Amino acid sequence: MPAKPVAAKSAPTAPTFDSDTKAAAMAELRARVIPCIKCPNLASSRTQVVFGVGDIHAQLMFVGEAPGADEDEQGEPFIGKAGQLLTKIIQAMALSRETVYIANILKCRPDTPGQTAGNRKPTPAEMETCKPYLLEQIRIIQPRAIVALGATAIDGLLGKTEGISKLRGSWQEFQGIPLMPTYHPAYLLRNQALSEKRKVWEDMLLVMEKLGMPISEKQRNFFLKA
Ligand code: URA
């Protein structure tokens, strides 16, 4: 008797969504996140929830820490000074805010009671509470690569705390998706050295290579000494 054919074991894959299903899933998620009151302190201090912005079919996703004052006011991630720098980085990659997806670990601005200015880092409890929303965004978008901006994003996504300067520039993996840690643009605003800009740019070149994007000679040489 011929041996029974053995069914090939396929590796578990993330569910794939068609365009309409993706849009419906993201709309349903947004409708759940916008009225979220899981962190009562943040729900009462925020102007609004900052859900995320960009193309739900994007190949590339950027993940930051949490909204600041500008983002809280306007309801969009990364539109303050650090956000404007991130937009420039995205444009230098020959992409746009509309063709990537941008989100944060925390969807609400961390409250700063008694302070009139400044931000604070999300607490571990806030991150754990909010993280499922980001995970759902990633599950729906299924990007081909993620850029984690700064230590909080890396801690939130990978649980790694060994320091951004050690991790940046080396591929990590988040649920099977290649993840590139790099400095937060706010760091580049504080440290204007060309060498630091170049480090972030080298990380972005690795991302472009991973995505099979064309890279011009001019792009390769950005932020190198003349
Ligand atoms: N910093 C972040 O990490 N996220 C924003 O949306 C804005 C500033």
Side-chain angles (χ1 to χ4, degrees), residues 64-68 71 77-78 82 104 184:
E65 178 175 304
E71 292 77 17
F78 281 102
N104 283 307
H184 193 287

Side-chain angles (χ1 to χ4, degrees), residues 61-116:
M61 191 163 168
F62 289 84
V63 176
E65 178 175 304
D70 295 313
E71 292 77 17
D72 173 67
E73 202 181 296
Q74 297 192 43
E76 187 170 325
F78 281 102
I79 39 135
K81 283 212 172 87
Q84 287 159 28
L85 180 52
L86 176 64
T87 303
K88 281 191 190 159
I89 294 169
I90 292 170
Q91 289 168 346
M93 299 168 82
L95 295 168
S96 68
R97 285 176 71 93
E98 291 73 34
T99 55
V100 300
Y101 197 89
I102 307 173
N104 283 307
I105 295 280
L106 227 64
K107 309 295 188 223
C108 292
R109 177 168 197 231
D111 59 342
T112 50
Q115 276 178 236
T116 51

